[in-house]
Amino acid sequence: MSENIFNNYSLNDEQILNIIEQSIPVINRNSKIDGNIDEDLKQEMIIAIYEQLKKKI
């Protein structure tokens, strides 16, 4: 069984960016180091989310 079994959606860039925009509070909360947002970490998280949502089986 494929590890991406639940990743069979086909989202366009606008839809993905909308999901990311809605997720910014969670991304910010999880990209803090010593109480401050680490912009590099935040950017890595956004890119990882984008890449996962863009994948197709």
Side-chain angles (χ1 to χ4, degrees):
M1 193 177 261
S2 173
E3 69 182 50
N4 291 325
I5 193 162
F6 297 108
N7 196 358
N8 60 356
Y9 31 77
S10 180
L11 301 173
N12 63 34
D13 287 342
E14 185 177 333
Q15 291 169 317
I16 293 171
L17 293 175
N18 187 30
I19 291 169
I20 291 171
E21 181 70 27
Q22 292 175 13
S23 303
I24 289 296
V26 175
I27 293 169
N28 285 340
R29 189 168 52 246
N30 289 293
S31 62
K32 288 185 179 179
I33 297 178
D34 296 327
N36 297 313
I37 294 175
D38 182 303
E39 291 297 330
D40 291 333
L41 178 56
K42 179 179 175 180
Q43 202 61 255
E44 285 183 37
M45 293 172 77
I46 290 171
I47 291 168
I49 292 167
Y50 178 85
E51 289 174 346
Q52 285 299 309
L53 292 176
K54 195 66 176 176
K55 283 184 181 179
K56 296 180 187 174
I57 294 180

